[in-house]
Amino acid sequence: MKIHTSSRLVKMEDLNHHHTLFAVRGASWLIETSFATAACELGTTEGIVFRNINDLAFTHPGKCGDIIQFESRVVRTTETTITVHAVMNSFLDQTKLAESYITFVTIFEGTKTRKPHGIQLDEPADDAERSLRIRANELLAGAVK
């Protein structure tokens, strides 16, 4: 699937008491970029609801002034769910700061009724994408339908 990218600047209000990127802010950004990826693949923002976040791991701290680049792509689907793998990197030195698998459910607007989305995964572009899909299936098999 297509890799989607976006960027953010880490500002003072994004920091914790250690003067590094607050983990909740980083997680929020990962969810936001994943939502945008799901919406771009669906062609709409309507009826996409956050379900869960899996395997969230922060590996390096973000610092004030860092330009953060997000790369995300759909790695798993069921009839009504879309799972996106998202990575947060420091743009200038390409250090991986965090990554996660984020799942959304598609619903009919104004209801809690799930709606089939119709997205079909294409063939993995390479071994790295194949590995992401395998990991997503391992994490979510039986957990999210």
Side-chain angles (χ1 to χ4, degrees):
M1 295 294 285
K2 179 182 176 186
I3 297 174
H4 298 263
T5 61
S6 61
S7 299
R8 286 206 175 252
L9 174 66
V10 178
K11 300 176 288 204
M12 290 294 291
E13 61 262 25
D14 302 319
L15 305 180
N16 60 25
H17 62 288
H18 299 292
H19 304 286
T20 58
L21 179 63
F22 186 43
V24 172
R25 184 66 52 103
S28 173
W29 290 348
L30 285 165
I31 292 168
E32 182 180 300
T33 198
S34 296
F35 176 89
T37 295
C40 286
E41 294 295 334
L42 284 171
T44 183
T45 59
E46 294 182 11
I48 305 170
V49 179
F50 172 78
R51 173 71 163 86
N52 67 5
I53 189 166
N54 286 88
D55 217 22
L56 173 59
F58 286 89
T59 53
H60 286 89
K63 301 176 297 297
C64 189
D66 277 351
I67 298 168
I68 304 296
Q69 183 175 44
F70 299 90
E71 292 183 356
S72 54
R73 67 173 128 194
V74 175
V75 293
R76 184 178 189 270
T77 62
T78 67
E79 185 179 21
T80 61
T81 67
I82 301 166
T83 300
V84 175
H85 175 258
V87 178
M88 181 169 52
N89 293 312
S90 173
F91 179 76
L92 297 176
D93 66 10
Q94 291 302 301
T95 301
K96 183 191 292 184
L97 305 179
E99 71 179 307
S100 188
Y101 293 83
I102 298 161
T103 301
F104 300 91
V105 176
T106 52
I107 62 167
F108 290 100
E109 280 293 315
T111 73
K112 292 184 179 180
T113 307
R114 290 186 178 206
K115 175 183 176 183
H117 51 67
I119 293 178
Q120 297 289 323
L121 290 178
D122 55 6
E123 287 298 315
D126 53 31
D127 287 340
E129 185 173 6
R130 187 173 288 105
S131 294
L132 293 173
R133 291 182 184 189
I134 290 168
R135 181 65 180 143
N137 283 325
E138 290 170 352
L139 288 169
L140 298 163
V144 180
K145 298 192 187 320

